[in-house]
Amino acid sequence: MGNFYCLYLVLLLFCFGFFVNTLSQADSSSDAITAVYIVSLKQAPAAHYFEEQLRRHNRHGYHPSSGSYISRVHDSLLRRALRGEKYLKLYSYHYLINGFAVLVTPEQANKLSKRREVANVVLDFSVRTATTHTPQFLGLPKGAWSQQGGYETAGEGIVIGFIDTGIDPTHPSFADDISEHSYPVPAHFSGVCEVTREFPSGSCNRKLVGARHFAASAITRGIFNSSQDYASPFDGDGHGTHTASVAAGNHGIPVVVAGNHFGNASGMAPRSHIAVYKALYKSFGGFAADVVAGIDQEMKGIVQHPKATRNIFLGPLAGFQLEIRGFLGQDFLLAKEKIRNPSFLCNHFDVHNRIIMIQMQAAQDGIDIISLSITPNRRPPGIATFFNPIDMALLSAVKAGIFVVQAAGNTGPSPKSMSSFSPWIFTVGAASHDRAYANSIILGNNVTIPGVGLAPGTDTDQMYTLISAVHALCNETILANDMYVGECQDSSNFNEELIQGNLLICSYSIRFVLGLSTIKQALETAKNLSAAGVVFYMDPYVIGFQLNPTPLEIPGIIIPSPDDSKILLQYYNSSLERDGLSRKIVRFGAVASISGGLKANYSITAPKVMYYSARGPDPEDSSLDDADIMKPNLVAPGNLIWAAWSSLGTDSVEFQGESFAMMSGTSMAAPHIAGLAALIKQKFPHFSPAAIASALSTTASLYDKSGGPIMAQRAYANPDVNQSPATPFDMGCGFVNATAALDPGLILDSTYEDYMSFLCGINGSGPVVLNYTGQNCWVYNSTIGSADLNLPSITISRLQQSKTVERTVTNIAGNETYKVGWSAPYGVSVKVTPTRFFIGTGEKQILTIMFNATMNNSVASFGRIGLFGDQGHKLNIPLSVILKFS
């Protein structure tokens, strides 16, 4: 397969007149280092003049291809700027930003930056990837789903776009034939479904309505491994399949892992539709150039015929095809174009200068929500973190009415560890839910040690002899030659007669964390030796490592605590009987039984903010100045989440070959919100992205299920011991309340123009705003600070004596009278006016909030504003003040 794709890439580059082996040579005498740069131009992207084109289309009966025109502009600029030099244009960005990604030398990048047409040249940067019970924990079956007509219609008509590692289209979570109800694809969606060897024709359906992949930046770096990364939308990692099913997986899919049934899975919006834009890969993660290409494709208005333009990715060549799926009125369109002769294809590019277009109903794929479970590997440089290619591309998506959800990142619990920055992006942290799988081992001395492991237990009425792997070797020389033999990776090292019918003790070292040793291989060893079960103890050098429940096909347990592991080993060693002279073991006296960890426990306190969830305050720039923006926006279930897994997924060795996996991270939290946002969008189709964000934020819960404050874990080691009440910098507005979000009463709305006024208000931002958007800040007569954005939270990073801000609420419910209450942050006095107001349906009300510093203090403090309606609506607006100068 690898040779096939290498041949494919060479053929494709030959058609375009470039050769990869010359890209790193400026001339025959020098070897210049090439890199991928994202170049943006001063001319506005297609998104900013689409409305004018649409009017022209309606008037004259045609729609000119702005995308192909912009591509030709990019090609012309490169030819003029780099006359006779070698380069490779990877992508043309048409819709979100007017620019392109190109592989050039630093000297060539400098030439491009000096062109008058060029606004910005940015070195490409890397990015990384940041349920059976959570629907019940969130109250969906009797709450949000029932309001939408039940799970069989929850999310119907909404398309969620995932920029991730792809998807496994064969998984039943993405089938379109599991219900007798009709399942029409939304008429507003038009998209492309690539067809490759791993992603054959028919992979897309009325559930999975679009799938593409973007890897040009990675390919040009020489790090793309086609044998495991797949040049197709197919998910060779597992992460993308998991996140897509969390948000939109089908309802009632049995979760069977290692032969054990763990319930039935469902996405948050099980009837919504999925479009996949693969831009991340197992072996290297991803790059901004590919991610922006994925976002740009989600917004692209015209699907061009695969033989018509230099810039469209054609998929593998000879014998393969590109599926273009769209909807003209209510008729389903499936166009397939066979590519049988690569030489014909090359000639066709040169001879034909016409574009065969499939005009869809709108100048975009029709995505309603974008889910990003990825974060940058470094904080963006420049005058503000908001000015980076991904965030600015997403700003145009928001302008087009798309709600954008992003994972906060897994870099917590330290302050300012946030990896999602901009106010137009809804940032989600990770919290626990109330399900846990507990396992334990009962020793012969009546000591019970807790552990993890999704495993059956031993017979309840029998105790089994414990035998350490290092005491069951075939000969003593093995230990001298293999210091890791105690990890049980090779059954040929052990005496089967000694182990048969007993519990085998194996060590769990840092090598398991690094993937050099695996639980699966140790289980295979235990089965080959006919052991009754296996017990893993934690190596004392693995400190603070948090171990998720792992599937075990035989009775077993993993003891994650080094201290508990010492208790086990002390009992085991003290029970050994040795020969007085030779000191050889003559009897293994330690016995134990394993209770098993297949049964879930729902009595734990939840939710709580997980230690790995990234924290605020939101860093405004690379020098870590704080922005007047609260991040995260809220938290959602992200810990120990069951969801679909790719059949060839390799991200978690322990779930390899399984159809479901249990994963943890803010990557799992973000798609929960994407799915819940689909329910809001379904009920309120005309809601702006900011209105959806407001509905989720103001209705969030501040309390755990026992009625106490939500706690936040503060340390990587022993997180449940090191915890304290969560602040807005830990959990944002709180823990998502899915049912309340469908009836918020009031919303706080913001527009694209508000975000532009905010960006233009950043000192020295004018040229950068022009670079990214093609708009001059002088168009905006007044600018606003970030604290003045109409967000459902208020953050003031520096309170110089006093400050007054306003918030405007809009009533989307019936007539109602609200009372206003508040609690002030420590060191600050707060006054809100009015304290009581009547508001009719569709009316607006301005709230004026005055802050006064009562002391000098540099420690962040927090408060809240509560709005209490006489019809039962309750809204919460968190307050955060960091530096105070009285």
Side-chain angles (χ1 to χ4, degrees):
M1 185 182 296
N3 291 336
F4 174 84
Y5 283 112
C6 289
L7 175 62
Y8 152 64
L9 180 60
V10 171
L11 286 170
L12 188 57
L13 294 176
F14 179 77
C15 293
F16 293 172
F18 302 119
F19 290 92
V20 171
N21 63 352
T22 65
L23 291 174
S24 60
Q25 299 178 359
D27 55 55
S28 59
S29 62
S30 65
D31 290 327
I33 298 174
T34 58
V36 176
Y37 292 84
I38 300 174
V39 180
S40 57
L41 306 187
K42 294 178 180 177
Q43 182 183 1
H48 297 282
Y49 56 76
F50 163 66
E51 292 178 2
E52 175 60 31
Q53 287 188 309
L54 190 59
R55 285 193 293 268
R56 192 179 307 157
H57 164 61
N58 292 335
R59 187 163 56 246
H60 298 293
Y62 71 96
H63 189 159
S65 174
S66 62
S68 65
Y69 166 73
I70 293 175
S71 295
R72 293 195 299 270
V73 170
H74 298 166
D75 293 337
S76 175
L77 169 62
L78 285 165
R79 286 194 298 269
R80 286 182 281 113
L82 307 176
R83 293 181 183 274
E85 299 181 28
K86 301 296 182 182
Y87 61 89
L88 176 62
K89 188 183 75 171
L90 308 181
Y91 299 111
S92 273
Y93 305 131
H94 305 149
Y95 202 87
L96 296 173
I97 60 174
N98 178 10
F100 51 86
V102 63
L103 182 72
V104 291
T105 65
E107 292 77 14
Q108 291 174 313
N110 187 48
K111 289 182 181 179
L112 288 170
S113 68
K114 293 179 179 178
R115 298 288 301 190
R116 61 180 178 81
E117 308 98 314
V118 171
N120 202 20
V121 177
V122 178
L123 182 66
D124 192 16
F125 56 89
S126 60
V127 295
R128 59 192 171 196
T129 56
T131 76
T132 60
H133 176 61
T134 50
Q136 283 73 25
F137 185 66
L138 294 171
L140 297 182
K142 296 181 180 180
W145 286 351
S146 64
Q147 292 185 24
Q148 302 293 86
Y151 68 83
E152 288 198 329
T153 58
E156 194 166 277
I158 306 300
V159 182
I160 306 176
F162 297 88
I163 300 175
D164 214 297
T165 65
I167 197 168
D168 182 350
T170 67
H171 200 284
S173 290
F174 312 122
D176 65 352
D177 58 357
I178 66 169
S179 172
E180 296 180 357
H181 290 72
S182 62
Y183 197 20
V185 176
H188 67 269
F189 178 79
S190 60
V192 170
C193 188
E194 286 182 19
V195 176
T196 69
R197 180 176 299 170
E198 303 88 11
F199 212 84
S201 177
S203 294
C204 288
N205 54 36
R206 294 179 181 273
K207 176 74 170 180
L208 175 58
V209 293
R212 296 203 54 177
H213 88 285
F214 304 86
S217 183
I219 291 172
T220 60
R221 298 165 191 263
I223 61 174
F224 189 90
N225 184 342
S226 61
S227 64
Q228 61 177 300
D229 292 321
Y230 303 111
S232 80
F234 186 84
D235 182 10
D237 179 279
H239 189 272
T241 299
H242 198 277
T243 57
S245 70
V246 168
N250 286 326
H251 181 271
I253 306 301
V255 178
V256 179
V257 174
N260 299 302
H261 184 248
F262 292 96
N264 296 325
S266 175
M268 300 300 102
R271 288 289 282 181
S272 59
H273 306 267
I274 295 169
V276 171
Y277 302 85
K278 178 179 174 181
L280 288 98
Y281 298 82
K282 168 62 180 174
S283 61
F284 56 85
F287 296 94
D290 296 326
V291 173
V292 173
I295 301 171
D296 193 67
Q297 180 60 34
E298 288 183 303
M299 297 290 297
K300 200 168 184 178
I302 298 174
V303 180
Q304 296 174 316
H305 191 279
K307 296 192 299 186
T309 172
R310 292 173 182 262
N311 299 313
I312 194 166
F313 180 77
L314 297 171
L317 291 179
F320 285 77
Q321 59 195 7
L322 182 72
E323 273 187 14
I324 303 173
R325 291 176 176 265
F327 293 84
L328 302 177
Q330 296 300 315
D331 296 324
F332 182 68
L333 172 68
L334 173 59
K336 298 181 181 179
E337 183 60 41
K338 285 281 187 178
I339 302 172
R340 298 185 179 89
N341 189 332
S343 61
F344 163 78
L345 187 63
C346 295
N347 294 334
H348 188 85
F349 276 117
D350 296 330
V351 173
H352 292 76
N353 193 29
R354 63 187 179 88
I355 295 177
I356 305 172
M357 298 180 298
I358 300 176
Q359 174 71 53
M360 303 305 175
Q361 287 191 352
Q364 51 188 309
D365 271 7
I367 298 298
D368 298 294
I369 296 163
I370 293 176
S371 179
L372 281 166
S373 286
I374 58 175
T375 57
N377 277 325
R378 59 181 174 87
R379 188 168 286 113
I383 63 172
T385 53
F386 323 116
F387 294 115
N388 67 81
I390 293 178
D391 284 35
M392 295 306 293
L394 292 172
L395 176 59
S396 287
V398 169
K399 181 183 181 183
I402 298 174
F403 181 68
V404 179
V405 186
Q406 186 177 25
N410 298 330
T411 49
S414 59
K416 300 187 184 182
S417 52
M418 186 58 52
S419 298
S420 176
F421 314 108
S422 298
W424 52 87
I425 298 173
F426 198 80
T427 304
V428 186
S432 64
H433 55 91
D434 65 347
R435 183 193 61 208
Y437 293 93
N439 200 346
S440 62
I441 181 170
I442 300 94
L443 306 181
N445 60 0
N446 291 324
V447 173
T448 298
I449 298 175
V452 298
L454 300 171
T458 55
D459 292 340
T460 56
D461 57 350
Q462 185 176 350
M463 300 292 277
Y464 295 82
T465 300
L466 289 165
I467 297 182
S468 173
V470 297
H471 292 155
L473 302 175
C474 292
N475 60 71
E476 295 180 358
T477 62
I478 294 176
L479 185 59
N481 296 330
D482 184 1
M483 63 183 297
Y484 302 112
V485 69
E487 297 173 4
C488 306
Q489 299 296 293
D490 186 354
S491 59
S492 65
N493 290 327
F494 303 102
N495 183 339
E496 182 178 356
E497 291 184 3
L498 196 59
I499 296 173
Q500 184 176 6
N502 297 318
L503 295 177
L504 177 63
I505 300 177
C506 307
S507 64
Y508 189 104
S509 76
I510 192 67
R511 289 165 52 85
F512 285 82
V513 181
L514 299 175
L516 301 175
S517 296
T518 68
I519 295 289
K520 186 162 280 191
Q521 188 57 45
L523 292 174
E524 194 64 29
T525 295
K527 287 190 290 185
N528 290 340
L529 298 172
S530 301
V534 61
V535 179
F536 294 92
Y537 70 89
M538 191 64 62
D539 186 290
Y541 294 103
V542 184
I543 300 174
F545 181 67
Q546 302 299 314
L547 193 64
N548 285 338
T550 302
L552 309 175
E553 296 178 352
I554 62 174
I557 186 172
I558 308 170
I559 302 173
S561 164
D563 291 337
D564 288 340
S565 297
K566 289 179 182 178
I567 294 173
L568 168 71
L569 295 179
Q570 286 171 357
Y571 165 68
Y572 171 80
N573 289 323
S574 67
S575 301
L576 294 173
E577 293 184 15
R578 296 179 180 270
D579 181 87
L581 295 176
S582 66
R583 303 304 299 164
K584 290 185 177 180
I585 299 172
V586 296
R587 180 175 175 273
F588 296 92
V591 294
S593 65
I594 299 171
S595 65
L598 299 178
K599 188 176 181 180
N601 173 19
Y602 298 96
S603 62
I604 64 173
T605 300
K608 64 177 63 175
V609 182
M610 300 308 299
Y611 63 90
Y612 52 77
S613 187
R615 312 296 168 91
D618 186 16
E620 184 173 69
D621 51 41
S622 56
S623 64
L624 294 182
D625 289 334
D626 299 320
D628 290 346
I629 296 169
M630 186 192 69
K631 293 288 180 177
N633 292 84
L634 50 62
V635 294
N639 201 56
L640 306 180
I641 305 299
W642 279 120
W645 197 244
S646 173
S647 56
L648 298 179
T650 58
D651 185 43
S652 175
V653 175
E654 315 311 338
F655 289 98
Q656 209 162 346
E658 302 287 356
S659 60
F660 281 85
M662 179 181 285
M663 305 292 287
S664 296
T666 57
S667 284
M668 285 67 243
H672 275 86
I673 297 303
L676 298 177
L679 302 182
I680 299 173
K681 185 73 173 178
Q682 181 185 18
K683 182 175 181 180
F684 301 103
H686 301 298
F687 261 22
S688 69
I692 296 175
S694 174
L696 288 163
S697 300
T698 60
T699 58
S701 174
L702 304 176
Y703 305 100
D704 62 29
K705 71 172 191 177
S706 65
I710 293 175
M711 304 296 282
Q713 296 176 337
R714 302 292 179 192
Y716 186 80
N718 300 314
D720 283 329
V721 176
N722 297 289
Q723 61 182 20
S724 60
T727 74
F729 290 160
D730 302 314
M731 65 174 180
C733 289
F735 183 81
V736 64
N737 184 332
T739 303
L742 288 174
D743 184 22
L746 305 175
I747 59 168
L748 293 89
D749 209 355
S750 296
T751 65
Y752 172 81
E753 286 69 27
D754 294 330
Y755 298 131
M756 287 294 291
S757 295
F758 149 67
L759 292 174
C760 289
I762 298 173
N763 189 31
S765 66
V768 186
V769 172
L770 179 63
N771 291 348
Y772 275 114
T773 68
Q775 294 180 270
N776 285 294
C777 280
W778 57 261
V779 173
Y780 298 89
N781 296 325
S782 61
T783 60
I784 58 175
S786 49
D788 297 310
L789 281 169
N790 198 41
L791 302 175
S793 62
I794 301 174
T795 299
I796 301 175
S797 59
R798 297 176 63 89
L799 179 58
Q800 297 277 8
Q801 294 186 337
S802 64
K803 184 177 182 64
T804 300
V805 299
E806 292 183 345
R807 290 294 184 266
T808 301
V809 295
T810 303
N811 187 10
I812 63 163
N815 297 347
E816 197 161 1
T817 299
Y818 282 85
K819 293 181 180 180
V820 182
W822 62 89
S823 62
Y826 177 74
V828 179
S829 66
V830 174
K831 182 178 181 181
V832 184
T833 56
T835 59
R836 179 185 177 94
F837 61 88
F838 170 83
I839 185 169
T841 302
E843 293 181 351
K844 298 179 183 295
Q845 173 67 50
I846 296 176
L847 300 176
T848 302
I849 306 100
M850 292 169 282
F851 295 84
N852 283 282
T854 58
M855 64 172 65
N856 294 325
N857 192 288
S858 60
V859 178
S861 55
F862 309 95
R864 299 198 176 271
I865 298 173
L867 304 178
F868 308 95
D870 61 6
Q871 299 302 309
H873 294 110
K874 299 178 182 178
L875 287 80
N876 160 58
I877 300 175
L879 310 176
S880 308
V881 181
I882 305 177
L883 298 177
K884 312 160 192 80
F885 303 95
S886 62

